[in-house]
């Protein structure tokens, strides 16, 4: 996969809203969210890390994969009951693989069990088009990110499948995983 293609792919993965799921046990991120008396967590704050975004593209024909990480953050600006909204940012260390980009978290829902789902939108991009690799066609996607936000931990992931003339069919997974670095 070319560096140019990977760079464009990184930007588009953050602009598409798809769900890969998050395979985590309930107690892994703090108090057991199914315990009696557990209430909906307040997830407002800034979650960040040097390797906050991890992206993996796997060519389905032969299993060849490419994985890279980018710094960045998710900021949950407002939460009203179960609903939340915020922003996200992606950036260096590697400007080609991790170009500076940002956008909005929309339609966010946090459950009493700390499960979260949300969409991401990059202003000016059509969310129904795949911008990641020129000439690639979006084959499958789900509408939301999914994961957990509990305590000082935020983990969410999503996936999509694309067909590319040069690479064939790719399964792409993006994961956001970071710690709360500021509260509101």
């Amino acid at each position: 996969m070319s560096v140019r293609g990977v760079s464009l792919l990184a930007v588009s993965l953050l602009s598409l809203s798809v769900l890969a799921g998050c395979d985590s046990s309930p107690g892994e991120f703090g108090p057991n969210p199914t315990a009696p008396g557990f209430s909906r967590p307040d997830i407002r704050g800034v979650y960040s890390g040097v390797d906050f975004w991890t992206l993996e593209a796997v060519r389905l024909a032969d299993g060849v994969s490419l994985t890279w990480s980018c710094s960045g953050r998710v900021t949950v600006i407002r939460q009203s009951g179960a609903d939340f909204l915020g922003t996200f940012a992606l950036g260096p260390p590697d400007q080609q693989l991790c170009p500076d980009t940002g956008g909005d978290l929309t339609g966010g829902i946090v459950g009493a069990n700390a499960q979260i789902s949300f969409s991401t939108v990059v202003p000016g991009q059509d969310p129904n088009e795949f911008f990641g690799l020129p000439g690639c066609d979006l084959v499958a996607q789900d509408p939301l990110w999914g994961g957990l936000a509990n305590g000082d931990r935020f983990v969410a992931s999503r996936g999509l499948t694309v067909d590319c003339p040069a690479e064939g069919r790719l399964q792409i997974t993006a994961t956001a995983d970071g710690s709360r670095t500021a509260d509101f």
Side-chain angles (χ1 to χ4, degrees), residues 9 13 16 58 60 130 132-133 136-140 160-164 167-172:
L9 178 62
L13 285 174
L16 292 172
V58 177
L60 297 181
F130 180 65
L133 298 169
C136 293
D137 296 319
L138 185 61
V139 175
L160 66 136
T161 304
V162 297
D163 281 334
C164 302
E167 299 292 337
R169 184 162 285 187
L170 302 174
Q171 178 66 48
I172 302 166

Side-chain angles (χ1 to χ4, degrees), residues 21-131:
C22 186
D23 184 22
S24 301
S25 60
E28 183 177 346
F29 297 100
N32 183 345
T34 59
F38 187 83
S39 63
R40 188 176 323 280
D42 180 353
I43 66 168
R44 292 174 299 154
V46 178
Y47 301 86
S48 62
V50 173
D51 295 328
F52 186 79
W53 303 104
T54 301
L55 303 123
E56 179 181 30
V58 177
R59 189 169 43 213
L60 297 181
D62 58 11
V64 171
S65 68
L66 175 66
T67 302
W68 66 100
S69 296
C70 304
S71 65
R73 69 182 176 278
V74 162
T75 304
V76 177
I77 298 168
R78 188 169 50 204
Q79 180 180 347
S80 176
D83 301 327
F84 70 90
L85 60 87
T87 62
F88 71 89
L90 169 109
D94 184 330
Q95 190 63 9
Q96 287 192 345
L97 293 176
C98 306
D100 290 322
T101 192
D104 299 314
L105 303 181
T106 62
I109 302 289
V110 59
N113 57 3
Q115 289 183 334
I116 55 172
S117 64
F118 57 91
S119 295
T120 52
V121 176
V122 175
Q125 286 190 354
D126 180 346
N128 296 316
E129 292 185 24
F130 180 65
F131 288 87

